[in-house]
Amino acid sequence: MQNFISEQNLNVLLEQLIKSGKRVVAPRVNSGTPLYEPLSASGEMDLKELPRRSAKEAFFPVCEDILSYEKVGLNVKLSDVDPARFPETVLVGVRPCDAAAIPVLDAVFSWDYKDQFYLERRRKTTIVGLACTSSDDACFCSGVGLSPSTTKGSDLFLTPLEGGGYVCETYSQKGEDLVSNYKELFVDTTSAKPLPLAEVRTETFDLKKVKAWLDNNFENSYWDGIAISCVGCGACAFVCPACHCFDIVDEGAEKKGQRRKSWDACGFWKFTHHASGHNPRDLQPKRYRNRIMHKFKYYDDKFSQTLCTGCGRCIRVCPVGIDIATIVEEISHK
Ligand code: SF4
Ligand code: SF4
């Protein structure tokens, strides 16, 4: 279904959603940095730039309690966090590379173990995607089969119009419900034209060829060369919409504390450090190899999907200038 909404009515929609008690998460500038964050008023939304971190944290927070414990006399009292308390959420202004990563994450969080923390938030969230009309030289979504107007992962998708306002297309029941619940804010027709979409770098890699090379080159001196400068900071994983490794730790004192789930990164040397002292990924090139293997081989083997949407964030943040698109392109031409 296609409709149109003016800029002003989009703000009214956000205000009404906030007033109804829903959590509305959208790009918002916090201390100069655009991030996906809960809004307290529609005017806080700022759609100009790609947020610095991805939208995955609406489902998979950086750190969250999963239970708390308390020692009472000789007994230990455990209290689970109940995912049923997570609020209904509308995630607005989600860039195509972020929205497309969410169905990719669904595969791993609902695989052998069903992660109720992720799945309950996912069930309660409506995703309003936004076509990209601006980009930078790190964006390479087209290289991984996506584009600035990919609607994958969006329940409702907005395309900006010349002079303001948006084309709205629905892609799921959640999207249709959102439009029909606020139908007075949408109109059927407009004479305004969509703004031109962003231009992204045109990589020439072929993901099938990349996979074929990775299948046969776990041991190859190429890995030593590309990761020689990687400092293992983990920034690439933390900004990525598709990386999803986490650790579970108990934090607290003898009598009480919490069990917490926190983001982790395969670039960290401790990630595979065994209690025995042995580390099968003892050198940084082995860790960086795992990053590429996981994204372009292992996830494909397991779920027939690529664990990269070409958002370019890891390229922008890497302190030593490692460019994953260039690496994948090199592998493709081997
Ligand atoms: S690997 Fe890099 S470019 Fe690909 S989705 Fe993650 S952050 Fe974006
Ligand atoms: S951001 Fe760069 S230096 Fe840091 S772990 Fe990733 S590739 Fe290595």
Side-chain angles (χ1 to χ4, degrees):
M1 188 170 59
Q2 191 183 70
N3 283 286
F4 303 89
I5 190 167
S6 65
E7 202 103 40
Q8 193 186 9
N9 278 0
L10 180 61
N11 286 334
V12 174
L13 175 64
L14 300 189
E15 289 296 342
Q16 292 192 2
L17 289 167
I18 294 168
K19 212 164 145 196
S20 73
K22 292 208 167 45
R23 182 174 75 132
V24 176
V25 176
R28 178 176 177 271
V29 177
N30 183 341
S31 309
T33 306
L35 295 168
Y36 290 102
E37 288 189 331
L39 304 183
S40 54
S42 62
E44 293 171 2
M45 183 165 79
D46 187 334
L47 299 176
K48 286 195 280 302
E49 283 181 60
L50 176 76
R52 184 154 171 132
R53 295 204 307 253
S54 80
K56 75 179 172 192
E57 48 197 286
F59 311 97
F60 173 39
V62 182
C63 179
E64 67 178 322
D65 291 355
I66 56 175
L67 63 80
S68 59
Y69 63 86
E70 188 174 359
K71 217 168 155 190
V72 186
L74 292 176
N75 298 319
V76 178
K77 190 179 150 208
L78 294 179
S79 310
D80 284 325
V81 169
D82 181 6
R85 74 177 169 80
F86 298 153
E88 295 276 343
T89 297
V90 184
L91 187 51
V92 185
V94 184
R95 297 297 183 112
C97 51
D98 282 339
I102 295 164
V104 175
L105 290 176
D106 290 347
V108 70
F109 282 113
S110 58
W111 172 45
D112 57 346
Y113 178 77
K114 312 277 179 244
D115 187 317
Q116 292 309 325
F117 290 83
Y118 175 91
L119 293 174
E120 185 65 4
R121 289 190 179 95
R122 181 77 171 97
R123 191 181 69 76
K124 288 181 166 169
T125 301
T126 301
I127 299 169
V128 181
L130 173 71
C132 282
T133 51
S134 64
S135 58
D136 66 18
D137 57 9
C139 297
F140 70 101
C141 55
S142 60
V144 289
L146 302 172
S147 79
S149 60
T150 295
T151 59
K152 180 179 174 182
S154 291
D155 297 302
L156 178 66
F157 192 77
L158 306 178
T159 304
L161 292 165
E162 283 175 358
Y166 303 89
V167 181
C168 313
E169 286 158 303
T170 52
Y171 290 94
S172 71
Q173 191 59 48
K174 283 180 180 173
E176 282 176 25
D177 290 347
L178 183 61
V179 173
S180 67
N181 289 342
Y182 295 92
K183 56 178 177 294
E184 68 284 0
L185 300 175
F186 294 84
V187 293
D188 296 339
T189 56
T190 178
S191 55
K193 288 192 185 126
L195 279 173
L197 293 173
E199 287 183 15
V200 290
R201 61 197 250 190
T202 47
E203 308 299 335
T204 55
F205 52 75
D206 175 338
L207 291 178
K208 285 203 172 66
K209 283 191 188 162
V210 173
K211 169 79 166 57
W213 189 85
L214 295 175
D215 282 341
N216 295 302
N217 287 282
F218 184 79
E219 297 294 350
N220 190 298
S221 56
Y222 177 70
W223 300 117
D224 301 333
I226 58 159
I228 195 77
S229 57
C230 174
V231 293
C233 65
C236 48
F238 277 36
V239 295
C240 179
C243 281
H244 52 265
C245 289
F246 60 85
D247 194 11
I248 292 188
V249 291
D250 289 344
E251 289 179 10
E254 185 202 343
K255 297 249 162 145
K256 65 189 207 182
Q258 291 80 30
R259 177 158 295 173
R260 292 194 165 129
K261 176 180 169 191
S262 313
W263 288 0
D264 206 344
C266 61
F268 295 151
W269 73 271
K270 260 190 158 180
F271 188 79
T272 46
H273 192 213
H274 297 182
S276 65
H278 172 64
N279 191 341
R281 294 189 207 136
D282 53 346
L283 299 170
Q284 205 59 35
K286 293 183 186 172
R287 295 174 208 132
Y288 197 80
R289 173 181 62 194
N290 182 70
R291 180 168 176 75
I292 300 290
M293 286 279 182
H294 191 195
K295 291 189 173 294
F296 298 97
K297 170 177 160 51
Y298 305 147
Y299 212 80
D300 190 327
D301 286 338
K302 192 97 204 156
F303 301 117
S304 306
Q305 303 201 62
T306 302
L307 198 57
C308 171
T309 60
C311 73
R313 285 190 180 89
C314 58
I315 301 168
R316 291 179 203 103
V317 299
C318 180
V320 295
I322 292 178
D323 180 331
I324 196 169
T326 304
I327 290 168
V328 174
E329 180 144 26
E330 269 175 23
I331 293 175
S332 174
H333 295 298
K334 278 182 176 294

